[in-house]
Amino acid sequence: MLDQNENRSLQFKHRLPWVDQVKGFTIFLVVYGHNFPFIEKYIYSFHMPLFIMVAGFFHPQIARPGDISKRFRNIMIPYFLWSAMLFLFWYVLGRKYGDSAAWDLSPIKNLIGIFYSQGDRFYMDWGIPMWFLPALFVTYLLWHVLLKIQNEIVSGIVLFAVMVIGFIYPYFTDINLPWSTNIAMVAVFFYAFGHRIFAQINNMNRRSLIIGLVAAGLLSVLLCFLNSKVDMYRAIYGNELYFILGGLTGSLFVIFFFRAFPIFGFLGFIGKFSLMILALQLLAMTFIKLVLLTVFGQTDFNFSEWERFLYAILQIILMIPAFLLVNKYVPILNGGAKKI
């Protein structure tokens, strides 16, 4: 008989379209959310928990030698490579223009930010969204350790305690731990949830999925309304219970939808390159603004809602040549193996 790890590896031997489409939609929400849309509060209420939950789908059931080093290669090696390139671009050119020039930011602090990876604009002006990758790796490590606890009740208690500590930490200081460890302590709850429920979701029938997505969608909107704006990057959760429930229901709404209707091929395509989009999205917007300024003479970048949405799509389209080149020649920049 196949063991649990082999069963799960077989499920992902041929990529599941709905999983890639969830990832593609989630990374689009990240890009769109960074353009400050009118639904920014709703997007922020669940888009990071969703990303983390989907990452939990891929966690091995049983820990094996080499798992940690493999995950380090898939997450942290691309992180350091992209961060070094983004920092060099920022140091040579980016810091001299726009908001970066106005802030007069320290190159030394931004260099430190590559390794500290949670320093806001003063330490990561070269690529603030990159904070997520080290946080995801720490989240993986936490669940890797917790899975070693044989008693599921004890494991659940420890998981809950770790999450509570992560929630309490910001009440004492606004200095986030290296690699966003305090945020990972909260994120591991969503990661564990994704790991535990993947098989059940993958086996649900469409009727159950539709009922689930309607219920989860309505609850997520209500919880977003009840809570204040969430920002996991800054460890801002509002009401912690509303945040957890909103993160779960919003994530399940999206997951159920794409599991029921896996028909959005383009989202599946970009879902395979979510790491690259995380790294390049701000450069793509900078390029758009440069064209608007130099070609059309536009100096006001207070975009309308439709422009924010369309420019988010354009940002991703502009990255497609980079996707294809990296996939063919340097796939390590996208997490390792070729995706297409």
Side-chain angles (χ1 to χ4, degrees), residues 144-152 154-156 158-159 196:
H144 180 86
V145 172
L146 288 172
L147 272 180
K148 294 181 180 296
I149 301 175
Q150 298 297 316
N151 188 302
E152 290 195 3
V154 174
S155 176
V158 176
L159 173 64
R196 293 299 195 194

Side-chain angles (χ1 to χ4, degrees), residues 110-155:
N110 273 269
L111 179 61
I112 292 171
I114 295 176
F115 305 96
Y116 182 54
S117 188
Q118 182 45 270
D120 211 329
R121 171 160 230 158
F122 294 99
Y123 285 85
M124 294 183 71
D125 189 60
W126 45 267
I128 291 175
M130 296 297 285
W131 74 272
F132 179 72
L133 294 178
L136 183 61
F137 181 68
V138 174
T139 303
Y140 164 83
L141 291 178
L142 289 172
W143 187 232
H144 180 86
V145 172
L146 288 172
L147 272 180
K148 294 181 180 296
I149 301 175
Q150 298 297 316
N151 188 302
E152 290 195 3
I153 295 176
V154 174
S155 176

Side-chain angles (χ1 to χ4, degrees), residues 276-310:
M276 289 186 62
I277 295 173
L278 198 70
L280 295 174
Q281 58 174 303
L282 298 185
L283 286 182
M285 177 51 78
T286 299
F287 177 79
I288 291 171
K289 289 180 178 179
L290 182 63
V291 170
L292 292 174
L293 176 64
T294 57
V295 177
F296 300 100
Q298 182 174 336
T299 57
D300 180 8
F301 300 123
N302 184 24
F303 300 126
S304 69
E305 194 57 41
W306 278 109
E307 287 174 325
R308 291 167 183 168
F309 180 77
L310 292 174

Side-chain angles (χ1 to χ4, degrees), residues 3 10 15 66 72 80 108 126-127 130 148-150 168-169 184 192 209-210 267 275 304 322-323 328 330 332:
D3 67 18
L10 281 176
R15 300 182 73 100
F72 187 89
F80 283 118
I108 298 299
W126 45 267
M130 296 297 285
K148 294 181 180 296
I149 301 175
Q150 298 297 316
I168 291 174
Y169 181 85
L209 289 165
I210 292 173
L267 289 177
L275 192 155
S304 69
F323 299 165
K328 184 174 182 178
V330 277
I332 186 61

Side-chain angles (χ1 to χ4, degrees), residues 12-66:
F12 289 111
K13 183 177 181 180
H14 302 290
R15 300 182 73 100
L16 297 174
W18 71 268
V19 174
D20 280 331
Q21 289 171 34
V22 170
K23 291 172 64 180
F25 182 71
T26 308
I27 196 63
F28 174 77
L29 289 181
V30 171
V31 176
Y32 183 39
H34 289 162
N35 291 350
F36 309 107
F38 78 99
I39 58 169
E40 179 186 16
K41 182 185 176 186
Y42 182 62
I43 291 173
Y44 273 61
S45 72
F46 71 87
H47 74 323
M48 285 294 101
L50 174 57
F51 230 134
I52 295 158
M53 194 182 297
V54 174
F57 289 173
F58 299 88
H59 195 98
Q61 292 291 97
I62 301 171
R64 287 179 170 175

